[in-house]
Amino acid sequence: MLSNDPSVQNAPEQRAADAGVLKTLWDMMRPYRPLSYVAIALAIVSAGLQILPAAVAGLITQSLYDGQYDTLLNYGVMLLSFTFAAMLTFSGSTFVAHLIAADVQADVRRNISNKLKSVPLGFFMQTDSTEIKKMMLDDVEQLEDGIAHIIPEMSATVFGPLIALGVMLAIDWRLALAAFVPTLGACLLFIYIQMKVQTTTQRFYAAQNRIASTMGEVINAIPVVKTYSGGNIALQRAEEAFTALTRIIDVWVEKVQVKSSRFFVLSSANLLFVLPLAVWLFNRQEITLFEFTFFILSAMAFGNIASSMFSVMTRLQQQEALVTRYRWLMNQPELAPCTQSQVPADHTVTLHSVSFSYQDEQDNVLNNISFSVPAGSSLALVGASGSGKSTIASLIARLWDPQQGKITVGGVDIRNMDETTLRNNISFVFQRVFLFNDTIANNIRLARPDASPAEVEAAAIAAQAHQFIQQLPQGYNTVINNGISLSVGEKQRIAVAAAILKNAPILVLDEATAYADPECEKEMQQALNALCRNKTVIVIAHRLPTVRHLDQILVLDKGQIIEQGTHDELLAQQGAYAKQWAAWRGENTGTGVN
């Protein structure tokens, strides 16, 4: 259904999409359906009342022509009353619609929040945080236009002209058709424009959205640009986005704006059709001065109908993008809830014939993986990038659920453990550490919020972090990112300190020393040795010397276990692990392997 660009659709599909957008907006208003009908009814009444001032003006003109001045006061009161009633009903419709919009916005934010609580944690690793922010804040804010304005205005745009046309036909069908034909022609031209330029319009809005996300990348790339002479390469994506927008604007102006100008000319041409016919009929005395005045004024107002339709449909296309993102989020798979939590007997981690693929990939990342890590023992996962090492770690922490097989801790399927039980049993130390804009102590204390300052310091000492923390301006009370930046190795030691403080019995280390500089690698290794003591440990590593003393080593390739054993056993097999070990020794000795 969709083209390569998910924002671009052809015309028939777009008309279906527009209907889908309206249906989605209408479904969002379901809890407030009675008020929605009130808002729509008031909008239609307001649109219908707008034809009455033209009729009263015609009566006033006829009274002046006939010399019946005693009726002018009554007609004047009627004119003011109808005008005031139209304004009042329009204001009432807007007021009610905005009340609904505020509640719908709160409901949508609540739905998004509940969904984010239910999706796998891995979703956040694969989704740009700016996209989540855009959905939660920007899209929901823009939703106000769809709920509070587009639906009432569309109702008024459709039914208002029908009411006006009915009144005009009742007075004089010839002038009614003369007033209606340009509007009908403008509507047909509008449909034709939409069929011809829909793809360009959608690309235009998609390019606008890409600019917003690209600006965040530009800001984040500033340090790179200042550091490297080739920094312009880092901005290439941003430049391409701006260039693409410029090109699309040129095409959009040519295809959309030029054709739209013809639409606006035709939609405002009602008077050109009505005036000559009205003069001719008046001179032939086939219509009265009342009818002449009424149709002249009505034709002028009738011309705004097509313009209103153009505005509503254009804004509806803008709503489509946010509705598409909302549907995409709501359709994300959720982790199966734990109905009755079970407590593991021990801390043995076992994978039973586990297969897994990410949602946007057809091929499995893992294929029928089975292994067991007895409680208190250690296991290393090694292999080339993309072999499935980090995916296994993510599944053990239940960032995702496998499509086939199961993972147990102490004999209990982790899907039968509530989140608190699972998190209390597992600690993670990632290769890339995120620290909050808070004090060092509070970043360590995230693992156990009730920890005392002495316990925080003890964890930092064990993690080899105490010495550099003391050298910071406020020690443990130093606020990170508030003019204070830490090296990658220092951040990793703070993460290790948090894991030591948590003291979970199962520990997963995902390339924990990958970015450590040579000076601190020894300290990092000492910190990890303190962290791993008396725990079930699963280590993901590229540096084979760091895992040579572990109890088991699994070698992965393309989502499958190709070798398994201890360091010495794998060397004896003369397989993939032995080749990696020989390559490492050759790189580090410069003499090759003996």
Side-chain angles (χ1 to χ4, degrees), residues 84-359:
F84 179 76
M87 294 173 56
L88 186 63
T89 51
F90 177 78
S91 299
S93 173
T94 302
F95 176 74
V96 173
H98 276 86
L99 290 179
I100 298 171
D103 287 333
V104 169
Q105 285 176 301
D107 291 343
V108 170
R109 284 197 173 100
R110 193 177 299 111
N111 292 342
I112 293 175
S113 298
N114 292 335
K115 185 67 178 184
L116 293 178
K117 293 177 184 177
S118 303
V119 296
L121 291 177
F123 167 84
F124 300 97
M125 301 174 68
Q126 292 191 328
T127 306
D128 191 344
S129 60
T130 58
E131 289 298 317
I132 298 177
K133 175 260 180 187
K134 182 176 180 60
M135 283 186 281
M136 182 67 80
L137 299 179
D138 302 342
D139 285 355
V140 177
E141 187 65 28
Q142 190 179 351
L143 188 65
E144 182 266 348
D145 182 52
I147 301 297
H149 297 284
I150 290 180
I151 289 183
E153 288 178 20
M154 179 167 284
S155 302
T157 300
V158 172
F159 290 99
L162 296 178
I163 296 173
L165 181 61
V167 174
M168 295 169 113
L169 287 171
I171 296 175
D172 190 285
W173 66 270
R174 296 164 297 181
L175 290 172
L177 293 180
F180 183 71
V181 165
T183 299
L184 178 61
C187 293
L188 295 176
L189 179 59
F190 175 80
I191 295 173
Y192 172 78
I193 292 173
Q194 293 300 302
M195 293 175 63
K196 291 296 183 181
V197 303
Q198 189 61 60
T199 297
T200 302
T201 302
Q202 291 301 311
R203 285 178 177 166
F204 172 73
Y205 290 128
Q208 282 186 322
N209 291 332
R210 280 195 293 271
I211 291 296
S213 60
T214 302
M215 288 306 297
E217 295 180 1
V218 171
I219 295 172
N220 292 330
I222 289 177
V224 178
V225 174
K226 289 183 174 291
T227 303
Y228 298 101
S229 59
N232 287 336
I233 299 176
L235 300 177
Q236 183 176 357
R237 185 177 176 184
E239 293 175 357
E240 291 175 352
F242 281 103
T243 301
L245 178 62
T246 303
R247 292 174 180 170
I248 291 173
I249 287 176
D250 293 338
V251 177
W252 190 80
V253 169
E254 178 183 354
K255 290 187 175 181
V256 179
Q257 293 297 85
V258 173
K259 290 182 172 63
S260 297
S261 63
R262 301 170 187 169
F263 162 82
F264 283 110
V265 169
L266 185 57
S267 65
S268 58
N270 303 73
L271 191 60
L272 295 178
F273 285 75
V274 172
L275 182 59
L277 179 61
V279 170
W280 184 72
L281 292 175
F282 184 74
N283 288 333
R284 290 172 57 87
Q285 297 184 351
E286 294 187 24
I287 60 172
T288 64
L289 184 60
F290 157 75
E291 294 168 329
F292 179 89
T293 305
F294 169 74
F295 276 99
I296 295 300
L297 296 177
S298 298
M300 296 173 64
F302 214 72
N304 296 327
I305 295 171
S307 298
S308 299
M309 179 181 296
F310 183 88
S311 174
V312 168
M313 295 304 294
T314 300
R315 286 153 55 201
L316 189 63
Q317 292 171 0
Q318 296 172 337
Q319 292 283 309
E320 182 195 351
L322 68 92
V323 167
T324 299
R325 284 189 290 270
Y326 177 74
R327 287 175 179 163
W328 170 80
L329 177 62
M330 291 297 108
N331 288 330
Q332 290 299 307
E334 300 180 3
L335 287 178
C338 175
T339 56
Q340 186 175 1
S341 181
Q342 300 178 25
V343 179
D346 59 23
H347 304 115
T348 298
V349 177
T350 305
L351 273 70
H352 306 264
S353 303
V354 169
S355 295
F356 175 77
S357 64
Y358 293 102
Q359 189 177 16

Side-chain angles (χ1 to χ4, degrees), residues 391-409:
T391 300
I392 290 176
S394 299
L395 292 175
I396 292 172
R398 211 189 172 198
L399 303 189
W400 307 99
D401 277 340
Q403 280 85 22
Q404 296 179 5
K406 65 179 180 178
I407 300 172
T408 61
V409 173

